[in-house]
Amino acid sequence: MEYDFKKNNIAELRKAQNLSQRQLSNAIGTSQANLSRWEKGIIQPSVVECWKLADFFDVSIDVICGRKEY
């Protein structure tokens, strides 16, 4: 199975809560530049960063990563 993190849901989740990239990045302890790169699929967040995002949005890591099939 091939994984494509470029189809993640970070931006959608952030926008649904009316948060700026800066607000979210401050809340989870990363830089705004990193968050921007994650949303664009340029780089991938670490597992720990995915956990932080999942906890912040109260969703599973699968939702963060855009995984639809199990």
Side-chain angles (χ1 to χ4, degrees):
M1 176 182 280
E2 188 173 317
Y3 298 97
D4 184 4
F5 200 81
K6 292 178 182 174
K7 297 177 183 172
N8 69 67
N9 292 315
I10 300 169
E12 290 81 9
L13 291 164
R14 176 180 61 78
K15 290 173 185 176
Q17 293 201 8
N18 295 316
L19 295 170
S20 68
Q21 286 183 339
R22 185 165 309 282
Q23 289 171 312
L24 178 55
S25 62
N26 287 340
I28 64 167
T30 193
S31 69
Q32 184 271 326
N34 270 346
L35 183 61
S36 176
R37 289 183 201 114
W38 296 344
E39 289 184 355
K40 293 175 184 174
I42 296 169
I43 62 171
Q44 298 175 5
S46 70
V47 171
V48 172
E49 292 161 334
C50 286
W51 283 335
K52 289 179 182 181
L53 287 163
D55 287 346
F56 181 85
F57 290 115
D58 195 28
V59 297
S60 71
I61 289 179
D62 288 329
V63 171
I64 297 295
C65 298
R67 185 175 177 190
K68 297 183 181 3
E69 296 179 19
Y70 299 97

